[in-house]
Amino acid sequence: KQINPRIICCSITGYASSGPYATWPSYDIVAQGMAGILMQTGQPGGPPTKPAPSLGDLSGGLFGALGVISALWQRERTGEGQKVEMNILDGAMALLCMHYAIYFLDGVVPPPVGSGHLQAVPFGAYKTKDGWLTIGNAWPRVARTLGIEWIIDDPRFSTVENRLKNREELNAIVTEATEKLDTQTWLELMRADDISAGPVYNLDQAPDDPQVKHNKMIVGIEHTLGGQIRQLRNPVRMPSIRTEDYKSPPTLGQHTHEVLSAILGYSEDQIARLEQEQQKHRAELEEHYHRLL
């Protein structure tokens, strides 16, 4: 900063750059466990459950990038750069903002609700005749579409509070109805009634969905080692982001020399010394692991 006051630096750590855990090794699963995500995921009464995405790692990258963007905007106004600090523990907790808000309001820890919602029911994934169907919050219209309009005036389900209190009973009634027809039929009926609903795909099914194909979310890229691979595209759409510019994932160390020389301005002698230090360090690590084994 003394050399260039406009510089912006982003540091992403496991716990923070200071504090009792600053030097601890970190991992996504550890951050999710400490933040409370594992206890809020899964079925009621079930064990701690990890969501499929690495939410701790992703939150660190996404919030870190947002911080850099904010710092860039502020620099345009003030001419000053700043250091952006992010850690995946804080990021994982921030993703539970609604859950913590509920806990802070009444002091009661909300239980995991599977694919459901803490404050709405029916909501989530329900079995159909040939698969699964997700249903968003659309009470009481969804009851009419399902052909169970009698539950609308049932005292057990007539208010939000009563529906949440009798969640299991209501979900059982909804499931009994959804199991009578196949997923596609329900989708057509619910879309006609302007109810948010969708199929439940696995990874081998989602790429074939008409909307996913229309979005061109799957792209083919020539790999550095030969052949074409498929991968997900950047979900952000901007004129300056072109899929034609996509590169394949780099092999280990593929760009090291380029970064050191072209971006950081290291000389060939400096790079050679770093490579020697790297080899020495690798040998020390291998010896250390050997002793542990």
Side-chain angles (χ1 to χ4, degrees):
K1 186 176 181 179
Q2 291 177 350
I3 299 172
N4 179 9
R6 291 174 56 83
I7 195 168
I8 293 171
C9 171
C10 180
S11 170
I12 302 176
T13 60
Y15 306 99
S17 58
S18 62
Y21 304 159
T23 60
W24 281 16
S26 176
Y27 215 82
D28 170 83
I29 188 68
V30 178
Q32 290 201 51
M34 292 178 65
I37 291 179
L38 300 188
M39 295 302 293
Q40 289 296 314
T41 305
Q43 300 298 325
T49 303
K50 179 188 178 300
S54 298
L55 297 182
D57 288 345
L58 290 171
S59 70
L62 291 171
F63 284 127
L66 184 59
V68 170
I69 292 171
S70 301
L72 285 167
W73 174 246
Q74 187 169 6
R75 187 175 72 180
E76 289 299 307
R77 304 176 66 185
T78 66
E80 291 286 325
Q82 57 186 305
K83 183 177 182 180
V84 178
E85 291 197 70
M86 180 64 208
N87 68 78
I88 63 174
L89 172 59
D90 289 354
M93 292 185 70
L95 296 179
L96 285 174
C97 52
M98 182 180 71
H99 297 71
Y100 275 110
I102 293 173
Y103 167 66
F104 292 150
L105 282 172
D106 59 18
V108 177
V109 177
V113 291
S115 66
H117 194 283
L118 288 176
Q119 297 176 304
V121 63
F123 186 106
Y126 296 89
K127 272 192 71 63
T128 66
K129 192 174 183 178
D130 65 345
W132 292 84
L133 172 80
T134 52
I135 302 175
N137 188 25
W139 186 268
R141 285 179 293 121
V142 67
R144 299 190 185 98
T145 305
L146 292 171
I148 51 175
E149 52 275 313
W150 59 268
I151 66 175
I152 297 173
D153 298 320
D154 189 307
R156 294 171 297 172
F157 317 122
S158 58
T159 66
V160 173
E161 291 77 12
N162 287 346
R163 289 195 294 278
L164 293 174
K165 180 180 178 181
N166 299 293
R167 177 192 298 270
E168 292 185 13
E169 195 172 356
L170 177 53
N171 278 334
I173 295 172
V174 171
T175 300
E176 185 180 0
T178 58
E179 287 181 326
K180 294 178 179 179
L181 298 175
D182 61 83
T183 299
Q184 187 57 39
T185 301
W186 280 125
L187 288 175
E188 294 171 2
L189 292 171
M190 293 192 177
R191 286 167 182 168
D193 290 339
D194 199 29
I195 293 172
S196 176
V200 177
Y201 292 140
N202 211 326
L203 304 187
D204 59 343
Q205 298 170 302
D208 293 325
D209 182 88
Q211 185 65 51
V212 176
K213 287 185 174 180
H214 172 80
N215 293 347
K216 298 179 179 178
M217 190 58 192
I218 316 296
V219 296
I221 298 175
E222 294 298 326
H223 197 275
T224 305
L225 300 180
Q228 189 175 82
I229 61 171
R230 293 196 303 165
Q231 65 181 40
L232 299 178
R233 65 173 287 172
N234 187 339
V236 178
R237 309 299 165 92
M238 298 169 58
S240 59
I241 299 178
R242 306 190 315 153
T243 56
E244 295 83 359
D245 298 330
Y246 283 18
K247 301 291 191 297
S248 70
T251 57
L252 182 62
Q254 179 180 336
H255 299 130
T256 300
H257 192 282
E258 179 183 345
V259 170
L260 292 176
S261 62
I263 298 178
L264 298 181
Y266 282 30
S267 68
E268 291 299 324
D269 289 341
Q270 288 176 307
I271 295 174
R273 284 197 297 272
L274 284 175
E275 290 174 345
Q276 292 174 359
E277 291 175 7
Q278 179 190 33
Q279 293 172 3
K280 179 181 178 182
H281 181 58
R282 184 185 294 118
E284 290 174 348
L285 283 177
E286 290 176 353
E287 183 182 350
H288 174 67
Y289 292 146
H290 181 73
R291 287 199 302 268
L292 290 177
L293 295 174

